[in-house]
Amino acid sequence: MEDRIKKFVWKGRIPLLVGGFAGNFSGTDLPDHFIILGIIGCGVFVGLLEVTKQKFYPTMNEESGCGIIFLLIAISIIIRQLFW
């Protein structure tokens, strides 16, 4: 069961990260155009992460990748709590 979860998270890492980062804007009272720009910025950031992973870490497996995804989402939640 654990291997199936790791494979699922690894295959869906891009939507998970974009959703995790962009979800931080949902509870704010920012204007809509700032939220849209933030979501687009999150997508660009995750795309750059993906390109960096493919270039520098082509042999990354599901186990270490899932750990990195967890850390990125946890850091985004901590940053949101600090600034909002």
Side-chain angles (χ1 to χ4, degrees):
M1 184 67 156
E2 185 176 323
D3 292 332
R4 289 180 55 199
I5 293 172
K6 287 179 187 175
K7 287 182 182 182
F8 177 78
V9 170
W10 185 247
K11 287 181 182 178
R13 65 187 174 274
I14 293 175
L16 283 172
L17 287 173
V18 171
F21 289 142
N24 287 330
F25 292 110
S26 64
T28 62
D29 50 341
L30 293 172
D32 289 341
H33 58 279
F34 285 133
I35 292 174
I36 291 170
L37 286 175
I39 291 171
I40 292 170
C42 291
V44 170
F45 175 71
V46 170
L48 289 174
L49 280 176
E50 186 66 23
V51 169
T52 303
K53 183 206 72 76
Q54 289 176 354
K55 182 157 180 100
F56 295 113
Y57 305 106
T59 59
M60 184 180 290
N61 60 5
E62 289 94 1
E63 189 169 335
S64 61
C66 288
I68 291 171
I69 290 170
F70 170 76
L71 288 175
L72 286 172
I73 292 175
I75 288 170
S76 73
I77 292 170
I78 290 169
I79 289 173
R80 183 191 191 286
Q81 292 299 319
L82 289 176
F83 290 110
W84 277 290

